[in-house]
Structures are given as C-alpha cells and as structure tokens.
Amino acid sequence: MARDTDTTLVHFATTLIQLIDQASTNSTYKYALTIALVDAAVENMGGSPEGRGFVTTEELARRVIDLYWPHTRPWPGGSGLEESQRLRQLQSRGSSIVDRVAEAAVEYGRQPRRASFEAAEPERWASLLEEVERTLISYPIPRLQRLGTEVVPLVFDPTAWPEKGVGFKLAAYFRARREGVNHEGFDNRVQFLEGAEEALAVLSPVIRPLVIDKWVDYVRSRNEGKGQESLREFLFGADRTSLMTIRRPLADLQEGRCFYCGESMGDDIAIDHFVPWSRTGCDDLFNLVAAHAGCNSSKSDHLPSRSHVHAWLGRCGRAADEIQAIAAHSGWASDEVRTRRVVASCYWSAGQHTMLWESMGGFEQVTDEVLAEIRGA
C-alpha cells in the first residue's frame, strides 16, 4: 500500500481504539458491536470490490447474538445454569443482552450453536433478535463514536443514530416486521462512511484481537478471581464439546486425511478454521477443516497458501451437500456463499509482505500474481 494509505489506516485504527477506550463502560456492548461491524465489513468487501456500503441493524443483532452465545455457558466448576454461575458483563444489576441470550440457550436445552435454536424455535428466535436489535439501536450504536462530549464520525454518520426520539419509529418498524410488511419510516441500514468499510476489513487482523483483549479485561474486572488466559479461552476459544460433534464427520469427509498435508490422521484430529477465526470470526462449517494437530498448530493464525485455497474451493464444490448434511445434524451454521466472501476478503486485504502458510516450516510469499490467482479462483 502507498504511504498515504498506510498513514490513513493507522489514523483510523488509533482513532477507533481511542473511541472504544473512551466509550461507555457500563457493559461489553461496544466490544460486541465493534467486532460485528468489522466482521460485516470483511464479508461485504469479499462480495464486491467496492464493498456493500452498509450493514443493517438486524444483521448486526445476529452477529452480536452469535458472539454472546458461547458466553452463556456457566463458568467451569458450576453444577447448574443459574445466573450466578454466568460471567457478568454488565456494570449494573439489570438484565443484559447476554442474560437474554442465556435464557434462550437454557430454555432450548443448552444447544451449542445458535443456528439450531433459530431453526427449531423461529418465534422465540424472532423475539430474541428483536430485543437485541432494539438494544443496539438504543445504546451502543449512538454512543460508539462519542469521545467525551464530542462525537467523532469515523465509521458511520452518527447524526443518523440519535440517542433519543426514535422510540415511536422503532415501535412501528418492529411491528411492521412482525407483520411481514415494509416500513419506510425507519432506515435500519448503518451506512459506512467513505473508506471506513475498506479500513475495517483491512485492519480486521489488528482490530479484532485488540477489542477481544479489552472485552476480556472488562469481564475479568466484573468477575473477580478469573485469570486472563483461562477467561479468554473460555469466552473466545473453541468450544471443545461442540467441536466433538463435527470432528469425526469432517474427518470422514476427507477420508481420514489431513486437509493440509494429505497424510492419514488416525485419531490425531484437530478442527481448524481455514481462514483464521482471529481475522474474521467466521465459524461457519464451510470454514472448518480436519487436520493433524501439528499442522493446525503450525498454521496458527496464518492465511493458507494458494494451493490450499484451490483445495478448499474444490472441497466446497465437491462436498457441499455433505457439508450441509453435517451442519443440519449438528446444528452448525453452513452458508457457502457467505464463507466464500469472507475468504475472498482475507486475500483481497492481504499486504505484499504477508506470508501464506504452506506446510510446517514452509511459507509462500504474497505477490500480485499469487493474489490475482487466488482472487480469480
């Protein structure tokens, strides 16, 4: 990237982190909203060279629920699912988004994936989605870009999202949606400012880990005695119980061979995010592959090489029906189009100095030729 572009991105990133630091600390909503905006931008840029330009509040609510869903598990060592055993993410004693999500998860039998709840309980899902969307519109969206008494227009136009005076519009908007009719009195699109969508997508590998660290710090401050590393793993690490339901099916899909090295895995099976979760948050089944634990560890948070991209695309085309069947059985989300957009965006935003992982100890240098081949695949 040109020097001016680099400077602009650095300014954008530092300003965003400053906003996150200074925004209201009454809850973890600002962290969830920021990550939801970043992930939406990544997906948008993977669907079009110009991006999409906006994300709806309904889409943001879905992403926020997905982020909070794993947090509703009781802290290890608890014997039940009472509120006292869930980690607090709200400064006051009131009810929070995570409480509402937890209630849905508990009432539905503690399903590990949100997708299974949505499919089985559409009415209750719609109610939860509406409540979370209403909360986002009322609180974190209007307040995210506030710096002290000033409002900084960095990601979207803050004047389109006032803190007061929208209650009657929201009531009509949600009523119309419940009735399945259009409502023109409220625009639920969060319009990205010029350059903001691209900046969020390019900076995703930097912004996501920073925001997650701040999120973990906040939760730790509200829950004494929880260590930093164990808390981060609990909130944002892989749910080992959930992965067990797809470990063997994915291995069988690959005929027992590691996706990366092609050798037999035996019982040495790890589940890997093809494009790293730390970069995109994409937990879709199409983004998951079975691999040797060693290959998984060596790849870490690196983007895979072009040969692996071609292999992944081949698997999507060859085994899409099988992947959908595994998803349906396990309650896992499986959206091939969305996942392809996320993968494309990761390579679209890769810089010339990015090293693509090929094998244990082996890397491929990113070049215009490599990126052109991957983007055109």
Side-chain angles (χ1 to χ4, degrees):
M1 293 185 178
R3 182 181 179 86
D4 288 347
T5 303
D6 288 344
T7 301
T8 300
L9 286 175
V10 169
H11 172 73
F12 183 94
T14 54
T15 304
L16 181 60
I17 295 302
Q18 188 178 22
L19 286 172
I20 295 169
D21 280 339
Q22 296 299 318
S24 170
T25 56
N26 292 328
S27 71
T28 56
Y29 297 169
K30 61 182 177 180
Y31 306 124
L33 173 60
T34 301
I35 292 178
L37 287 166
V38 169
D39 291 347
V42 168
E43 184 179 330
N44 287 355
M45 296 305 298
S48 166
E50 294 78 31
R52 186 182 177 203
F54 69 91
V55 58
T56 68
T57 53
E58 181 180 353
E59 291 170 316
L60 289 173
R62 284 177 174 272
R63 294 177 184 276
V64 166
I65 291 173
D66 281 345
L67 286 166
Y68 278 120
W69 192 273
H71 298 189
T72 63
R73 293 171 292 151
W75 182 257
S79 58
L81 294 167
E82 292 81 6
E83 180 189 3
S84 62
Q85 295 173 327
R86 286 198 303 272
L87 296 174
R88 291 196 57 78
Q89 300 200 37
L90 190 70
Q91 187 176 46
S92 65
R93 290 292 179 182
S95 179
S96 67
I97 288 179
V98 72
D99 294 324
R100 300 284 75 77
V101 175
E103 288 172 5
V106 172
E107 290 173 12
Y108 185 55
R110 193 46 263 162
Q111 290 293 323
R113 314 305 305 171
R114 182 272 300 168
S116 58
F117 172 70
E118 179 180 358
E121 301 281 352
E123 292 185 2
R124 291 162 69 183
W125 160 255
S127 177
L128 174 64
L129 183 65
E130 177 179 320
E131 184 170 2
V132 173
E133 185 180 358
R134 187 189 298 273
T135 300
L136 293 178
I137 294 170
S138 301
Y139 299 105
I141 291 178
R143 299 177 183 181
L144 182 66
Q145 298 178 113
R146 183 194 294 170
L147 190 59
T149 59
E150 301 295 323
V151 176
V152 180
L154 181 72
V155 179
F156 53 85
D157 181 4
T159 63
W161 301 95
E163 291 190 41
K164 299 179 180 179
V166 297
F168 70 98
K169 292 183 180 180
L170 281 183
Y173 161 65
F174 286 118
R175 183 169 58 251
R177 195 168 76 192
R178 287 194 296 270
E179 295 171 354
V181 299
N182 293 327
H183 176 65
E184 299 180 355
F186 178 78
D187 188 352
N188 72 343
R189 293 173 299 176
V190 177
Q191 301 276 1
F192 290 110
L193 294 175
E194 184 179 359
E197 188 174 32
E198 179 179 354
L200 289 173
V202 172
L203 292 167
S204 174
V206 177
I207 295 174
R208 287 188 106 261
L210 285 174
V211 175
I212 285 175
D213 281 344
K214 293 180 180 296
W215 192 335
V216 172
D217 284 341
Y218 182 90
V219 175
R220 181 169 50 82
S221 71
R222 296 290 177 268
N223 300 270
E224 296 181 3
K226 309 299 188 293
Q228 178 80 359
E229 289 305 317
S230 59
L231 189 56
R232 182 188 179 94
E233 176 65 21
F234 177 77
L235 294 174
F236 297 103
D239 185 341
R240 308 302 174 189
T241 303
S242 301
L243 291 179
M244 289 300 294
T245 65
I246 60 171
R247 181 173 173 265
R248 179 52 62 181
L250 283 179
D252 291 343
L253 180 71
Q254 298 167 198
E255 298 180 340
R257 297 187 176 277
C258 173
F259 181 84
Y260 298 113
C261 73
E263 298 296 325
S264 176
M265 292 182 290
D267 292 327
D268 180 25
I269 303 171
I271 299 300
D272 180 58
H273 288 76
F274 182 71
V275 288
W277 187 89
S278 62
R279 290 175 175 264
T280 69
C282 182
D283 211 23
D284 193 278
L285 194 63
F286 277 92
N287 190 41
L288 301 180
V289 299
H292 281 131
C295 289
N296 179 39
S297 178
S298 174
K299 175 176 169 283
S300 187
D301 292 337
H302 298 291
L303 288 174
S305 69
R306 57 179 158 179
S307 65
H308 294 314
V309 173
H310 286 300
W312 179 80
L313 289 169
R315 190 189 77 155
C316 288
R318 181 177 63 255
D321 290 344
E322 291 91 334
I323 293 173
Q324 295 287 10
I326 295 171
H329 184 265
S330 61
W332 217 280
S334 57
D335 188 330
E336 180 182 356
V337 173
R338 178 180 177 183
T339 306
R340 281 176 177 265
R341 289 175 178 171
V342 170
V343 172
S345 181
C346 287
Y347 290 93
W348 167 84
S349 60
Q352 288 295 314
H353 300 293
T354 302
M355 299 297 290
L356 305 180
W357 184 86
E358 176 66 35
S359 60
M360 286 193 270
F363 287 86
E364 177 181 22
Q365 175 71 55
V366 162
T367 64
D368 289 336
E369 178 185 0
V370 169
L371 291 179
E373 181 180 333
I374 292 175
R375 293 166 184 165

